C-alpha cells in the first residue's frame, strides 16, 4: 500500500527550491530525500505547467529500481507511469515508445538516445541523479555522454534538475562541467579554459592546477542562487536508506532452489529448533553473491548485484569515507578484490588510527569485530551493510561505532547515514524485519513458512 508523504523541513526546502527554479542543483546525501522531494516538486509543478514527460538520468541500478520503486512508494505519485529505458537496443526502443510520465535511463545510453531521437526530443524536464556524472563536459573534447546531452540541454529542455551528494569530491574543478547544464557557463566562465585561468594557477611541477585561497569561496558565492546545499538533516537518529537489488535471472533460479531446500529443512526439524537461523545461512550467502561449495572452504561467485550497489553508495559519498559491514569471509575476499582502496578492520591499532585520521576511504568490518568501546566516529558518518545477519546486538553495536552519540562526543554535528544493501524477495527481508522490529528469529521464520504454505 502506498505511503502518505509528510515532508521534513529540509525536504520542504528542496521542494520549494526546485519549484522556484527552472534550472538548479540540490546537494544532499543519499537517503536525504532527494528523490521523493523531486517527485513532490514535479507533481506540484504539473498543476501549473506541462512538465512531463521527464527524463531521469541515473546509474543503471538506480534507474532500474530506485526511481520506479520511489514512484510506487508514495500515494501522491503512484498514478505516474515509469518506463525504464534499459537492456538491448530493441528493449530500449520499446521503452521509449511506451506511454509514460517518467523515463528512467542510465547515463551510458545518452549517445544512443541522442542518435535515436535526433532533434525530436520529447523531454521537457531532465533530472540528473548523481549529477557529477556530467562533470566531464567540455565545449571541445570532454565526455561523449555529457556532450550528447549538452546538445539539447539548453535548446530543448525547459527544466533541468541536478541531484548529487557532494558536488566536488576531487576539488572545485569538477564544478564547471556540471554547472554548464544549468547556466551555459554564465557563472563560472563560457569555457573550461576561462574557468581555469580565472581561479587556478600552475603547481610546482608546471602542469597541475591548484586553486587560489579565495577560489572555493568565490565559486560557492557564484553558484549560491542555483545550487542548494541541504542542511538540517536529523542528527539524533541515523538516517536509514535501504538499497534494494534484484538478483539476476540465473542467480534467482539458484536462490529459489536453495530457499525451497531451506524451508523443507525447517519444516522437517521444526521452526522452533535452536538452529533455525543456521538453516538460512546458505540463502543469505546467495543473496550477497557467493556461496561456499559443499564441505569446502572454497566458494563460488553467483552474482555481483550487491557489489554494484555498494559502488553506487561509495560514488554518492563522493570521497567521504565509508564503513562497510560484511557477513561472510567470502564477502570480505570479494570486497577486497573489487575495491582496491579498501582496508580490513584487523587487530592492528594502527588501522583504527588511520581510519579516524581520514586515511582509509573504505573500511571493511565484521559486526562481531567492532567491539564495545571502539570509536570510529572521527573516520566518518557513513555505514553500508553489504550483508545482514540475525544478530541484533552485533548489528546495533557496529552502528554505534559511528552513531549519533559517538559523533557528538567527537564534536561533529552531522547525520549518520546507514545503507543496508538488500536483495529483494530473499531472506534479507526477514533479517531486516528481525533487526527493525526486534521480534524473534523463530517467530519471523514461522510466519514465512505459513505464508509459503498458503
Amino acid at each position: 500500500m502506498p505511503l502518505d508523504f509528510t515532508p521534513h523541513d529540509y525536504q520542504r526546502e528542496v521542494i520549494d527550491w526546485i519549484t522556484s527554479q527552472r534550472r538548479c542543483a540540490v546537494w544532499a546525501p543519499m537517503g536525504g530525500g532527494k528523490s521523493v522531494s523531486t517527485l513532490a516538486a514535479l507533481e506540484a509543478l504539473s498543476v501549473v505547467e506541462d512538465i512531463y514527460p521527464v527524463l531521469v538520468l541515473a546509474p543503471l541500478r538506480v534507474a532500474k529500481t530506485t526511481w520506479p520503486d520511489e514512484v510506487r512508494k508514495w500515494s501522491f505519485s503512484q498514478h505516474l507511469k515509469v518506463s525504464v529505458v534499459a537492456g538491448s537496443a530493441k528493449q530500449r526502443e520499446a521503452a521509449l515508445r511506451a506511454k509514460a510520465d517518467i523515463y528512467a535511463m542510465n547515463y551510458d545510453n545518452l549517445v544512443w538516445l541522442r542518435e535515436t531521437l535526433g532533434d525530436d526530443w520529447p523531454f521537457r524536464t531532465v533530472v540528473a541523479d548523481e549529477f557529477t556524472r556530467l562533470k566531464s563536459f567540455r565545449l571541445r573534447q570532454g565526455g561523449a555522454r555529457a556532450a550528447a546531452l549538452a546538445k539539447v540541454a539548453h535548446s530543448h529542455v525547459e527544466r533541468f534538475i541536478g541531484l548529487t551528494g557532494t558536488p566536488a569530491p576531487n576539488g572545485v574543478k569538477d564544478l564547471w562541467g556540471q554547472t554548464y547544464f544549468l547556466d551555459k557557463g554564465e557563472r563560472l566562465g563560457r569555457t573550461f579554459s576561462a574557468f581555469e585561468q580565472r581561479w587556478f594557477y600552475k603547481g610546482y611541477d608546471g602542469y597541475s592546477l591548484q586553486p587560489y585561497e579565495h577560489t572555493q569561496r568565490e565559486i560557492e558565492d557564484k553558484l549560491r542562487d542555483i545550487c542548494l546545499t541541504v542542511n538540517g538533516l536529523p542528527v539524533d537518529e541515523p538516517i536509514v536508506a535501504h538499497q534494494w537489488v534484484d538478483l539476476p535471472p540465473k542467480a534467482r533460479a539458484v536462490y529459489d532452489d536453495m530457499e525451497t531446500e531451506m524451508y523443507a529443512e525447517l519444516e522437517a526439524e521444526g521452526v522452533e529448533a535452536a538452529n533455525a537461523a543456521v538453516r538460512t545461512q546458505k540463502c543469505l550467502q546467495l543473496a550477497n553473491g557467493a556461496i561456499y561449495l559443499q564441505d569446502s572452504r572454497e566458494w563460488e561467485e553467483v552474482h555481483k548485484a550487491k557489489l554494484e550497489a555498494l559502488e553506487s553508495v561509495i560514488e554518492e559519498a563522493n570521497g567521504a569515507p565509508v564503513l562497510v559491514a560484511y557477513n561472510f569471509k567470502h564477502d570480505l575476499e570479494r570486497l577486497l578484490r573489487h575495491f582496491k582502496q579498501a582496508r580490513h578492520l584487523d587487530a592492528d591499532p594502527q588501522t583504527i588510527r588511520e581510519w579516524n585520521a581520514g586515511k582509509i576511504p573504505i573500511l571493511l568490518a565484521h559486526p562481531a569485530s567492532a567491539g564495545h568501546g571502539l570509536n570510529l566516529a572521527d573516520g566518518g558518518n557513513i555505514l553500508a551493510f553489504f550483508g545482514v545477519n540475525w544478530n541484533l546486538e552485533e548489528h546495533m553495536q557496529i552502528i554505534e561505532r559511528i552513531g549519533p552519540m559517538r559523533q557528538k562526543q567527537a564534536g561533529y554535528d552531522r547525520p549518520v547515514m546507514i545503507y543496508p544493501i538488500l536483495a529483494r524477495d530473499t531472506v534479507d527481508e526477514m533479517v531486516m524485519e528481525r533487526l527493525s522490529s526486534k521480534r524473534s528469529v523463530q517467530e519471523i521464520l514461522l510466519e514465512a513458512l505459513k505464508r509459503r504454505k498458503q
Side-chain angles (χ1 to χ4, degrees), residues 53 55 81-86 88-105 112-113 116-117 120 122-123:
L55 174 66
K81 293 183 178 179
V82 181
S83 181
V84 177
V85 184
S88 66
K90 197 171 184 179
Q91 290 171 322
R92 296 196 300 269
E93 289 167 3
L96 275 180
R97 291 194 298 268
K99 187 173 178 57
D101 304 290
I102 296 173
Y103 295 80
M105 189 187 78
W112 168 85
L113 184 68
T116 300
L117 295 176
D120 189 19
F123 305 111

